[in-house]
Amino acid sequence: MSSLFAAERVHRWARQLRQLQRNPWWVWGSLVGGVLVATLIRWAIGGLVHDRIPFTTYYPAIVVATLLGGFWRGALASILSAVLAWWLFMSPFGFALDQGQLVSLITFILVCLLLVGTVTALNAAVDLMLVEIDFRREAQIALGQLASVAETSEDAIITKDLDGIITSWNKGAERIFGYEADEMIGKPISLLIPPDRPDEEPSILAQHWRARAL
């Protein structure tokens, strides 16, 4: 029961995420707003962060931008973050970089590529999960409808496996054949074959097995 509840909660979260992704205001707002907030936080902490590692506050903004906007918006957020950090926090003149700062900038870009790729893969996994959950729900609804039809039908509706063992027995079958479901489920369907047709069921099963072999 807890697993079903957890699956429903994940499904609801994924649906809400997809709704946000379809809203351009949320997508672009998260990109621009996230980068600006990260810049303000970096500015506020000032000297607490070494000049050669000015990018720490930008990583959450890049993750959110990729999660809502996809790969290219995540890449754009990475570029904006790199430019702002370079211009505002790395060089007093906005252009020259020493060797340490250059290494820090290249490392930041590589980490951004890793983050954007990982979150993009996560988005793809969420899409597959939603498709699978929707397919299972539709299958469950169809099976429920089929079970309801079989249960209320006046006709005998019987199912069996490929070994000829009865797997379901509806009320119509109980009325027509006179056997309760508990008496017949798990029994060979050959019990219902008329005495003058003893070879009918074995021939049907043989056709099934030949079809499976092909």
Side-chain angles (χ1 to χ4, degrees), residues 1-203:
M1 188 69 178
S2 59
S3 61
L4 290 176
F5 177 76
E8 283 296 325
R9 185 168 54 185
V10 171
H11 182 263
R12 185 167 57 251
W13 173 83
R15 285 294 182 193
Q16 291 172 349
L17 176 62
R18 288 297 172 262
Q19 289 177 357
L20 292 177
Q21 290 173 338
R22 296 188 188 99
N23 188 326
W25 290 100
W26 274 103
V27 172
W28 289 104
S30 66
L31 192 159
V32 177
V35 172
L36 290 178
V37 169
T39 302
L40 290 175
I41 294 174
R42 173 63 182 85
W43 194 292
I45 60 179
L48 297 177
V49 179
H50 195 279
D51 288 342
R52 285 181 171 79
I53 49 172
F55 307 108
T56 307
T57 59
Y58 289 98
Y59 293 124
I62 293 167
V63 170
V64 173
T66 308
L67 189 63
L68 295 182
F71 178 86
W72 293 111
R73 290 182 179 89
L76 178 59
S78 302
I79 294 171
L80 288 176
S81 299
V83 169
L84 285 173
W86 173 22
W87 185 265
L88 296 174
F89 308 120
M90 297 186 72
S91 173
F93 304 105
F95 294 101
L97 291 175
D98 61 29
Q99 184 176 1
Q101 290 173 331
L102 182 61
V103 170
S104 179
L105 180 61
I106 293 174
T107 302
F108 172 71
I109 293 173
L110 293 176
V111 172
C112 285
L113 288 175
L114 179 62
L115 280 176
V116 171
T118 301
V119 177
T120 300
L122 175 63
N123 272 333
V126 170
D127 287 336
L128 290 176
M129 181 192 68
L130 287 175
V131 170
E132 182 178 356
I133 290 176
D134 289 339
F135 175 78
R136 288 184 178 180
R137 282 185 169 182
E138 291 174 359
Q140 289 175 350
I141 292 174
L143 287 174
Q145 292 173 341
L146 181 60
S148 177
V149 170
E151 188 63 26
T152 57
S153 175
E154 293 294 326
D155 297 324
I157 299 179
I158 305 167
T159 60
K160 63 175 183 175
D161 60 20
L162 291 179
D163 294 320
I165 303 301
I166 295 172
T167 56
S168 69
W169 185 273
N170 74 336
K171 295 293 184 181
E174 291 181 359
R175 181 178 57 82
I176 292 173
F177 293 104
Y179 298 104
E180 298 290 332
D182 293 341
E183 297 178 90
M184 296 304 297
I185 292 178
K187 301 287 183 62
I189 201 168
S190 58
L191 294 175
L192 303 178
I193 302 298
D196 59 337
R197 300 179 186 177
D199 298 329
E200 184 172 305
E201 179 62 15
S203 65

